[in-house]
Amino acid sequence: MLAFMAAVRVWNRRGPARAQPFTGPLAAAALVGLSGLTPAEAGLTLAAGWGYAVSAALLVAAGYGVALAIPAARRALAEPYFPHPVRSALVGVPLSTVIFEEVAFRGVLFTLVEQAHGLTWAVAVTSVLFGLWHLPDTREVAFTTLAGVVLSFLRHLSGGLLAPIVLHWTANGLGILTSAWVRRSGQPDIGEGDET
């Protein structure tokens, strides 16, 4: 399974961009099949986690709201450039990134490691691997490892992948939309009048 995940990662980096929205869901389904887990065992159920999912989305939105009120955070949000922010946030992020990563790390790997070694090992192993998944950008590894811990506990507490998917999607997707809004508004600094 790790070899399959590595192959998906290489394809995501090297393959044609137009294929990525199809790759994520198809690769996620294939990974569940390879694992021998049922979809429910891998966390693919809509019956659990709605309260956690809504709470996670609201928390992320509030966080971006606070960031917009802080000049240094606004400048940081304005730095990335996304040529098609709406398409990236609503299509690219969920289909190309979030679905596969959540099914792989918080669905399949988390379940298999938890069944074999318990919750602590499941959180630790999947979080470290999730951090390493973001190499070669070493700046992201520590942050994504910590994010992996949060997403893993959310998976455990909510009983499924809905809440981690929503948190992951809103953190990335809303970040793209917020960045685009700050750039378009031309006001990276509240009260300072600077323009990008």
Side-chain angles (χ1 to χ4, degrees):
M1 276 184 300
L2 292 177
F4 178 80
M5 290 173 60
V8 171
R9 184 66 169 157
V10 170
W11 173 257
N12 284 344
R13 295 275 181 158
R14 305 282 175 89
R18 65 182 176 275
Q20 302 312 318
F22 303 101
T23 299
L26 291 173
L31 189 62
V32 173
L34 286 171
S35 73
L37 298 171
T38 66
E41 287 173 328
L44 294 169
T45 174
L46 293 177
W50 285 95
Y52 285 100
V54 171
S55 298
L58 292 174
L59 187 62
V60 170
Y64 280 118
V66 170
L68 288 173
I70 302 169
R74 285 179 67 98
R75 284 194 298 273
L77 285 168
E79 286 180 11
Y81 172 69
F82 303 95
H84 307 287
V86 174
R87 185 170 66 199
S88 294
L90 300 183
V91 178
V93 167
L95 296 181
S96 301
T97 303
V98 172
I99 288 176
F100 180 75
E101 290 183 1
E102 291 308 316
V103 169
F105 291 99
R106 263 65 64 180
V108 171
L109 290 180
F110 184 91
T111 301
L112 293 175
V113 176
E114 185 180 36
Q115 288 175 349
H117 303 289
L119 176 62
T120 301
W121 277 100
V123 172
V125 169
T126 58
S127 299
V128 169
L129 289 175
F130 186 60
L132 294 174
W133 181 260
H134 292 82
L135 286 170
D137 189 344
T138 54
R139 295 171 300 172
E140 281 191 37
V141 172
F143 176 78
T144 52
T145 299
L146 180 59
V149 172
V150 172
L151 291 164
S152 293
F153 276 112
L154 194 55
R155 156 66 162 113
H156 173 70
L157 292 171
S158 68
L161 290 181
L162 178 64
I165 285 172
V166 168
L167 177 58
H168 195 161
W169 185 5
T170 53
N172 290 8
L174 196 55
I176 291 170
L177 295 176
T178 304
S179 175
W181 182 83
V182 171
R183 281 177 153 275
R184 187 164 293 181
S185 72
Q187 297 177 346
D189 294 311
I190 293 177
E192 295 185 16
D194 293 343
E195 298 206 355
T196 52

